[in-house]
């Protein structure tokens, strides 16, 4: 009996030892498997660049990974009227090319996403069509030619004058000058001795520095002159302004012209001196034959002690008005279509 009990105890002990060995072997295999899996994942991470994290997705192949890291494909070159332009072209000149298919042009311009200027002079399109193109492509500067009376100019011109010397008798009309609204780069404009009384186009000329509106008569009359200059409020950069010989009485717009240096308002029914009191840069002020009083004249002299103020005289341009360096610079600008530094900041 005691012998059987001893054998049973020995068997139980052997079983316990065997179970302990098996448990240790199982734990070892599990650990090795986890380490192997971790090593494999690390290798994949190094190979394909996948590091995990919110929104990241593992890549299945190395080729797919390279595709993800390549630079974006550049735009394609664009053919336009027989010339191939790189997709990133910024300026194009197709002047003289007949544009018969507007849809074709629009399609090509749409693909030139970096274009900022195109010269379309003499392409056969109307002003209205060109205006629609400018609205469709607001970031592109369209340049074409417009005709006003006897003169034809480019819409990117910066200086225009009829340069009347007595041999030209034609006077521009309000209908003639409507096209000036397309000349948004204009810096110097001379419309003297015409029949222009509607100057609403000035609202499109924020760069204007010089303006001459002398002797502009109402169409159909020889003794009724331009009277409304309120549109000048859109030209705050004006330096040089002539509108002598007119019917202007309201000069309140001068409050919006703080940069004026030369101002000739002679031969106009002007009586309100207060609008002349806020011209901090004025150097020359001509006001012959106005309704301003001698007291007004003295007040202006005290306000601008360093300026040339002409109250007495005859002829509007006497006493050196046209004998000044800025006048000669202005005439040169009209002849050569450029901006003289004397009229820049």
């Amino acid at each position: 009996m005691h012998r059987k009990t001893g054998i049973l105890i020995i068997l139980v002990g052997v079983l316990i030892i065997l179970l302990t060995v098996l448990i240790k072997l199982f734990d070892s295999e599990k650990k090795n498997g986890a380490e192997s899996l971790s090593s494999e994942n690390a290798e994949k991470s190094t190979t394909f660049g996948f590091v995990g994290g919110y929104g990241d997705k593992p890549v299945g192949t190395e080729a797919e990974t390279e595709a993800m890291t390549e630079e974006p494909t550049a735009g394609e070159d664009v053919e336009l009227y027989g010339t191939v332009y790189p997709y990133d072209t910024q300026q194009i000149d197709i002047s003289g090319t007949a544009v018969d298919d507007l849809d074709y042009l629009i399609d090509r311009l749409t693909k030139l996403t970096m274009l900022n200027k195109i010269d379309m002079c003499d392409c056969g399109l109307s002003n209205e069509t060109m205006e629609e193109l400018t609205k469709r492509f607001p970031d592109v500067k369209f340049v074409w030619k417009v005709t006003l009376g006897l003169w034809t100019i480019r819409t990117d011109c910066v200086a225009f004058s009829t340069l009347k010397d007595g041999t030209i008798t034609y006077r521009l009309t309000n209908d003639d000058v409507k096209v000036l609204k397309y000349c948004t780069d204009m810096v110097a404009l001379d419309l003297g001795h015409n029949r222009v009384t509607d100057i609403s186009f000035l609202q499109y000329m924020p760069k204007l520095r010089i303006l001459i509106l002398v002797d502009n008569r109402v169409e159909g009359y020889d003794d009724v002159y331009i009277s409304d200059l309120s549109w000048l409020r859109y030209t705050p950069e004006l330096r040089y302004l002539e509108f002598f010989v007119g019917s202007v009485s309201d000069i309140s717009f001068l409050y919006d012209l703080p940069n004026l240096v030369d101002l000739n308002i002679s031969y106009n029914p002007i009586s309100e001196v207060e609008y002349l009191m806020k011209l901090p840069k004025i150097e020359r002020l001509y006001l012959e034959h106005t309704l301003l009083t001698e007291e007004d004249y003295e007040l202006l002299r005290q306000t601008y002690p360093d300026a040339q103020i002409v109250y007495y005289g005859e002829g509007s341009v006497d006493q050196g008005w046209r004998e000044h360096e800025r006048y000669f610079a202005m005439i040169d600008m009209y002849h050569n279509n450029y901006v003289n530094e004397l009229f820049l900041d």
Side-chain angles (χ1 to χ4, degrees), residues 38 122 177 275 282 335 339:
S38 177
D122 302 315
V177 300
Y275 295 120
I282 199 71
H335 281 288
V339 181

Side-chain angles (χ1 to χ4, degrees), residues 101-144:
D101 187 344
L102 198 59
D103 290 335
Y104 165 80
L105 175 65
I106 291 174
D107 174 70
R108 295 303 188 269
L109 295 183
T110 301
K111 296 176 180 178
L112 292 166
T113 57
M114 299 184 70
L115 188 68
N116 57 45
K117 183 176 182 180
I118 180 169
D119 188 331
M120 293 185 60
C121 291
D122 302 315
C123 286
L125 298 180
S126 67
N127 293 326
E128 291 73 22
T129 299
M130 294 304 302
E131 184 173 0
E132 288 303 314
L133 284 173
T134 63
K135 292 178 180 178
R136 188 176 186 119
F137 300 95
D139 296 326
V140 179
K141 174 74 173 178
F142 287 86
V143 180
W144 71 100

Side-chain angles (χ1 to χ4, degrees), residues 7-8 14 29 45 47 61 77 94 118 122 128 157 164 226 236 244 251 253-254 263 268 283 309 320:
I7 293 172
L8 182 62
V14 171
E29 288 296 326
S45 177
T47 303
T61 67
D77 293 344
I94 61 170
I118 180 169
D122 302 315
E128 291 73 22
C157 75
K164 292 185 176 181
I226 186 172
F244 57 79
I251 55 172
F253 59 85
L254 289 178
L263 175 61
N268 279 279
E283 293 182 12
I309 302 176

Side-chain angles (χ1 to χ4, degrees), residues 280-295:
K281 298 182 181 180
I282 199 71
E283 293 182 12
R284 297 194 302 160
L285 175 58
Y286 280 47
L287 35 81
E288 302 174 34
H289 291 271
T290 64
L291 299 181
L292 295 168
T293 66
E294 291 190 7
E295 289 75 15

Side-chain angles (χ1 to χ4, degrees), residues 160-163 188-192 194 210-214 334:
F160 171 72
S161 171
T162 54
L163 291 173
L189 180 62
D190 174 10
L191 295 177
N194 288 289
I210 300 169
L211 180 61
I212 297 177
L213 291 170
V214 304
Y334 289 137

